[in-house]
Amino acid sequence: MSFKAEIERRRTFGIISHPDAGKTTLTEKLLLFGGAIQEAGAVKSNKIKKGATSDFMEIERQRGISVATSVLAFEYNGIKINILDTPGHKDFAEDTFRTLTAVDSVIVVIDVAKGVEEQTEKLVEVCRMRNIPMIVFINKLDREGKDAFDLLDEVEQKLGLKVTPLSFPIGMGYDFKGIYNLWEKNINLFKSDSKKHVKDTIEINDLTSSELDNYVGESSANTLRDEIELVSGIYPKFDKDAYLKGDLQPVFFGSALNNFGVRELLDCFVEIAPKPRAKQSEERLVKPDEDKFTGFVFKIHANMDPNHRNRLAFVKIVSGEFKRNTPYLHVRHNKKLKFSSPNAFFAEKKEIVDISYPGDIVGLQDTGNFKIGDTLTEGEVINYKGIPSFSPEHFRYINNADPLKAKQLYKGIDQLMDEGVAQLFTLDYNSRKVIGTVGALQYEVIQYRLEHEYGAKCTYENLNVHKACWVQTENEKSEEFKEFLRVKQRYLAKDKQGQLVFLADSLFSLQMTQQKYPSITFHMTSEFD
């Protein structure tokens, strides 16, 4: 296969939603269709026993939630699909924001009973800012939920999207009869006795025919005819260009747990989803079909295998071919690195790959060379940007609970921070370490992983901080800046990169400080121009 053909057949996307709308379940069912796994393990009753294929950290299995982004790949009809399953839990939102820099399109999962939830709103906003094409999947139709039209309105209003349904439910919950597929003009009947097997689809080109009544009963058939007429009257026709520009979002209905409506989603996705796209770097626009390899690290995962102390850097390939055992330039360090065993992912199985193409995600063994946002190239100096650190919302001192294990604790903190689980600040006046996170659940994850992966115990102490602001000034020698450093010394810290950070204890004190020192700028993210 030629290099161009390999790029053409790749699709890389992320799945985003509020916790528990069914992302991981949907991911599994997609893998099932791709023949990547033989049976799915996420059915509620044995969630604990088996654990879904894509949740592979201990803590995820215990709680039944995804904490880290996992990368899975499978083939379907000759197309190579890379899925990034992201955590929906808001405490892990940063991981999800970073993942969005590595995908070409997104599937948004919405729970039919709960509708659009706040976490979904935040994530969709990020996708809208970047014009990422989105497909909406409304899940759990085998349960009672909101009316289909109400849901479509809610998606339009709350998420600011322009939707067009490509499939439509016949009944819902107890009366759920099946789905009419507007994309392929056929009907999928839902049989509740054997929920696991997908029944064959029935082609119905003419909704007015009496065949429909035989399948779903007269009243359901009439309702469906009215609804489809309404749909074609209200919603715009599907237009692929508008979808690719991020101006139009197709909507599918289904039930991932019962494997229903998933194949329709997948078939349509393969047909319309974007191929690997060009990416803007600080220097120039990089196109996927260029000969020279470039790629960037969007995630680092430590200790994927508890038996080995290892770290894996996840790299999204933007252009060219990534080959095994070839030296590539690590732009930030300005040194060449060679990788003897790059991994491709396949749920829990990792395979070593010789060659990877744009759109693929490879895992590189890392001994501490990489940070999130690093770029690898064949020699050209290119920096991909757009993976900032956000100001955390929770702050705690971290203390060592076992004096004999100080070394392990610091090594552990160091590695977990590189992974982007949380941010570490060191106070200027007494060098105490402060951990800042986006959500409180992360402290548990850190404590748990320090103990189980590094054998170190830690305790936390609360610290009253409202926001961490990165400090920028035009003139470091000015009297005003010196006074700021003297007056605020108790509130100053350095982040892991050594940038100066001001820890404001309340919104009021932040505003007062901004007024008092007008020549100093306070930033809410670590990346500023």
Side-chain angles (χ1 to χ4, degrees):
M1 248 187 180
S2 69
F3 172 53
K4 280 223 163 50
E6 286 287 359
I7 300 179
E8 294 282 306
R9 68 184 210 97
R10 294 224 166 4
R11 307 278 184 278
T12 304
F13 72 98
I15 298 187
I16 59 174
S17 81
H18 201 77
D20 262 357
K23 277 187 305 296
T24 303
T25 313
L26 178 63
T27 308
E28 286 221 318
K29 293 307 192 279
L30 292 172
L31 288 176
L32 209 56
F33 278 117
I37 51 178
Q38 262 52 62
E39 54 178 328
V43 190
K44 269 282 190 291
S45 62
N46 51 11
K47 196 159 195 175
I48 314 301
K49 284 187 293 225
K50 210 170 204 175
T53 344
S54 50
D55 290 356
F56 53 59
M57 227 193 287
E58 238 341 89
I59 201 159
E60 304 188 348
R61 292 223 171 97
Q62 289 174 2
R63 296 196 162 217
I65 57 172
S66 308
V67 173
T69 306
S70 59
V71 181
L72 310 152
F74 66 94
E75 298 248 343
Y76 181 75
N77 292 352
I79 299 283
K80 171 143 195 282
I81 298 180
N82 298 308
I83 307 184
L84 300 173
D85 179 19
T86 60
H89 208 286
K90 75 166 184 299
D91 293 4
F92 304 98
E94 267 200 52
D95 204 21
T96 308
F97 288 135
R98 289 197 201 103
T99 305
L100 290 177
T101 59
V103 300
D104 298 312
S105 68
V106 163
I107 291 182
V108 184
V109 183
I110 290 174
D111 181 329
V112 67
K114 297 184 185 141
V116 175
E117 297 168 273
E118 53 150 0
Q119 198 49 35
T120 322
E121 290 181 44
K122 282 190 192 151
L123 295 167
V124 168
E125 198 179 325
V126 177
C127 297
R128 283 221 327 270
M129 270 162 33
R130 302 210 162 111
N131 294 330
I132 301 177
M134 285 178 263
I135 294 181
V136 179
F137 182 71
I138 295 180
N139 192 13
K140 306 194 179 178
L141 277 198
D142 53 318
R143 304 191 182 173
E144 296 299 328
K146 302 186 179 182
D147 173 70
F149 287 107
D150 292 350
L151 271 169
L152 293 170
D153 285 350
E154 194 174 318
V155 169
E156 293 213 314
Q157 284 159 11
K158 283 198 180 166
L159 301 178
L161 302 180
K162 196 170 167 200
V163 301
T164 173
L166 290 186
S167 75
F168 209 80
I170 307 171
M172 177 178 298
Y174 187 65
D175 298 327
F176 184 49
K177 299 278 196 312
I179 286 173
Y180 176 68
N181 185 344
L182 289 100
W183 173 249
E184 294 168 3
K185 297 253 187 304
N186 58 26
I187 275 190
N188 225 336
L189 292 183
F190 180 74
K191 281 174 61 178
S192 53
D193 51 332
S194 57
K195 289 191 171 173
K196 296 248 169 42
H197 305 291
V198 177
K199 200 167 171 250
D200 297 337
T201 49
I202 299 154
E203 288 226 6
I204 294 193
N205 298 328
D206 180 15
L207 277 181
T208 53
S209 75
S210 58
E211 261 184 273
L212 185 61
D213 303 9
N214 305 339
Y215 289 124
V216 297
E218 202 173 322
S219 65
S220 297
N222 288 333
T223 316
L224 179 69
R225 290 182 187 123
D226 296 346
E227 289 184 331
I228 298 297
E229 199 175 314
L230 204 56
V231 166
S232 45
I234 307 179
Y235 296 103
K237 277 223 166 339
F238 176 69
D239 169 4
K240 190 167 170 182
D241 292 339
Y243 155 74
L244 290 175
K245 284 193 194 117
D247 296 336
L248 184 68
Q249 285 76 25
V251 179
F252 283 88
F253 290 85
S255 159
L257 191 62
N258 297 320
N259 215 344
F260 199 76
V262 178
R263 196 185 53 78
E264 288 73 6
L265 172 72
L266 189 57
D267 285 345
C268 174
F269 173 81
V270 166
E271 209 165 311
I272 64 174
K275 303 171 188 63
R277 312 211 282 181
K279 190 165 171 67
Q280 187 63 50
S281 68
E282 285 176 26
E283 291 72 18
R284 62 189 184 81
L285 184 70
V286 181
K287 295 200 170 71
D289 53 8
E290 293 177 16
D291 300 340
K292 297 260 194 281
F293 160 76
T294 67
F296 66 96
V297 178
F298 67 93
K299 173 182 164 60
I300 291 172
H301 197 114
N303 305 317
M304 283 179 81
D305 178 349
N307 308 330
H308 303 283
R309 264 306 137 81
N310 64 350
R311 284 174 38 163
L312 217 50
F314 289 69
V315 174
K316 160 84 190 275
I317 299 171
V318 180
S319 66
E321 296 175 299
F322 176 87
K323 299 189 176 80
R324 195 175 145 189
N325 285 330
T326 311
Y328 290 116
L329 175 70
H330 182 316
V331 175
R332 184 171 54 94
H333 284 310
N334 194 16
K335 66 177 186 195
K336 293 266 180 148
L337 299 173
K338 230 158 99 171
F339 303 97
S340 58
S341 54
N343 288 310
F345 300 93
F346 194 77
E348 292 203 333
K349 304 188 245 329
K350 299 192 301 247
E351 295 161 359
I352 290 178
V353 281
D354 289 325
I355 200 164
S356 300
Y357 299 93
D360 282 344
I361 311 282
V362 283
L364 304 178
Q365 298 293 337
D366 174 30
T367 48
N369 292 318
F370 288 116
K371 276 194 341 204
I372 286 175
D374 277 348
T375 308
L376 280 173
T377 68
E378 281 192 28
E380 185 183 353
V381 174
I382 283 185
N383 289 290
Y384 289 112
K385 56 174 196 217
I387 309 190
S389 300
F390 298 87
S391 169
E393 296 182 14
H394 301 257
F395 297 85
R396 294 183 191 175
Y397 286 120
I398 182 164
N399 300 322
N400 185 2
D402 180 353
L404 297 173
K405 293 278 175 76
K407 192 171 147 220
Q408 283 89 329
L409 180 76
Y410 290 120
K411 182 179 171 195
I413 294 176
D414 209 47
Q415 290 206 354
L416 292 179
M417 297 304 139
D418 278 349
E419 208 182 299
V421 175
Q423 293 171 59
L424 182 69
F425 302 103
T426 310
L427 289 179
D428 279 3
Y429 77 101
N430 62 4
S431 298
R432 283 191 72 179
K433 303 240 182 295
V434 172
I435 285 186
T437 67
V438 183
L441 191 58
Q442 272 159 313
Y443 290 110
E444 273 184 57
V445 173
I446 292 168
Q447 198 164 19
Y448 180 89
R449 291 185 60 184
L450 282 173
E451 190 171 335
H452 289 83
E453 293 172 16
Y454 298 93
K457 286 190 165 59
C458 71
T459 56
Y460 296 116
E461 255 176 77
N462 278 339
L463 172 67
N464 181 24
V465 173
H466 165 67
K467 276 273 186 269
C469 309
W470 282 267
V471 178
Q472 185 188 21
T473 173
E474 295 301 313
N475 179 4
E476 297 203 350
K477 300 207 164 52
S478 68
E479 288 305 312
E480 188 178 311
F481 188 61
K482 284 181 183 160
E483 188 198 343
F484 166 73
L485 293 180
R486 193 180 68 249
V487 175
K488 295 290 178 191
Q489 109 189 39
R490 295 184 69 87
Y491 302 103
L492 294 178
K494 298 268 192 307
D495 70 4
K496 209 168 170 222
Q497 279 68 52
Q499 299 187 73
L500 185 65
V501 177
F502 170 56
L503 303 175
D505 53 4
S506 66
L507 183 59
F508 175 69
S509 86
L510 175 60
Q511 288 165 342
M512 290 301 292
T513 311
Q514 283 168 325
Q515 283 168 12
K516 196 170 167 194
Y517 306 105
S519 73
I520 301 173
T521 335
F522 298 93
H523 297 276
M524 288 297 169
T525 61
S526 63
E527 227 173 67
F528 41 84
D529 302 329

